Amino acid sequence: MKRLVVIVLILLGAGKIFAQQSFLENQKMFPKVGEAYREKEELLKKEFEKKGLAYPAKYIFIRSFKLDSEMEIWVKNSASDSFRLFKSYRVCTLSGKMGPKRKEGDRQVPEGFYYINDFNPNSNYHLSLGINYPNYSDRILSDQKNPGGEIYIHGNCITVGCIPLTDEFIDEVYVLAVNAKNAGQDFIPVHVFPVKFNNQGSMNYLGTFTLTDSSSKQFWTELRSAYDYFEKHHKLPVVLVDAKGKYVL
């Protein structure tokens, strides 16, 4: 009986230790994540220090621009702080065209307001961070039976509708996201825009689509309102979705 009690206590103790294991510690147990930390963490610390930022960031915000092939990481360490730009990463390639994703197999990169909903340390594309497409707006406006899904920010520099980075870059982004999640940021926002709305060349190109597509024009006006708000305040706007799937600030 005494031996049985000891075994039970040991198992309970092991379970408690496992339960207390942090998200960071759990992720670092995976080989690719552990290697990313060994190779990137000191470099990230130095970059943060050089820019006068505290490492690790407790909050991050991701913005991606399709035509400009760019993804930005913004950071802060208090909920009341304004975001500061940490780094811009080159997006490897683009599939589809300007405009939102509306059905399975259209090869479109989504456009809109999302958050990270999955950390995949065993991805076939090195490392990957899932975004919650289809969101509430997408479920209203996209194909009701087959809207598509499984959209990720990932490595391997290839895509059929995701946001691809080099393995070197996804290592950094993944580490930053794990750190934020570990610090308590349950929802890491990801805003995906067709273009940088303050880039005149990109806007001129976008104009070739909006001239003949009024629905896209309205959709991009909604996206731009959120973009302009963040550019002015460096704080995230509150974005709601109405019954027709329209984004409303």
Side-chain angles (χ1 to χ4, degrees), residues 65 68 70 72 88 194-200 202-203 227:
F65 306 96
D68 301 271
E70 190 173 337
E72 299 173 342
S88 295
V195 297
K196 279 191 167 184
F197 290 105
N198 61 0
N199 182 323
Q200 191 56 52
S202 297
M203 285 298 292
Y227 174 90

Side-chain angles (χ1 to χ4, degrees), residues 49-106:
E49 183 179 0
K50 185 177 180 180
K51 296 180 180 181
L53 301 169
Y55 182 90
K58 294 181 180 179
Y59 299 88
I60 70 171
F61 164 50
I62 301 173
R63 288 202 307 182
S64 185
F65 306 96
K66 289 165 63 171
L67 182 63
D68 301 271
S69 297
E70 190 173 337
M71 193 181 81
E72 299 173 342
I73 302 293
W74 294 74
V75 301
K76 65 179 183 178
N77 278 287
S78 169
S80 61
D81 288 347
S82 298
F83 278 100
R84 294 177 59 186
L85 179 63
F86 166 60
K87 195 169 184 178
S88 295
Y89 294 92
R90 185 72 176 170
V91 175
C92 289
T93 186
L94 173 68
S95 69
K97 59 183 181 180
M98 299 300 100
K101 181 175 183 64
R102 290 295 181 236
K103 62 182 178 180
E104 179 75 36
D106 62 4

Side-chain angles (χ1 to χ4, degrees), residues 155-186:
N156 273 22
C157 206
I158 56 175
T159 185
V160 287
C162 295
I163 302 174
L165 305 173
T166 64
D167 290 356
E168 178 183 1
F169 287 167
I170 192 61
D171 278 349
E172 294 188 11
V173 173
Y174 198 93
V175 166
L176 294 170
V178 167
N179 288 341
K181 173 78 170 177
N182 192 66
Q185 187 182 15
D186 290 325

Side-chain angles (χ1 to χ4, degrees), residues 8 18 33 41 53 55 71 142 172 174 198 201 211-212 214 231 238 249:
V8 170
F18 181 78
V33 180
E41 190 163 40
L53 301 169
Y55 182 90
M71 193 181 81
S142 298
E172 294 188 11
Y174 198 93
N198 61 0
L211 290 175
T212 58
S214 59
E231 285 292 293
V238 176
L249 261 65

Side-chain angles (χ1 to χ4, degrees), residues 212-224:
T212 58
D213 187 344
S214 59
S215 63
S216 289
K217 184 174 183 179
Q218 175 58 41
F219 177 74
W220 288 329
T221 298
E222 297 163 20
L223 298 191
R224 178 160 190 172

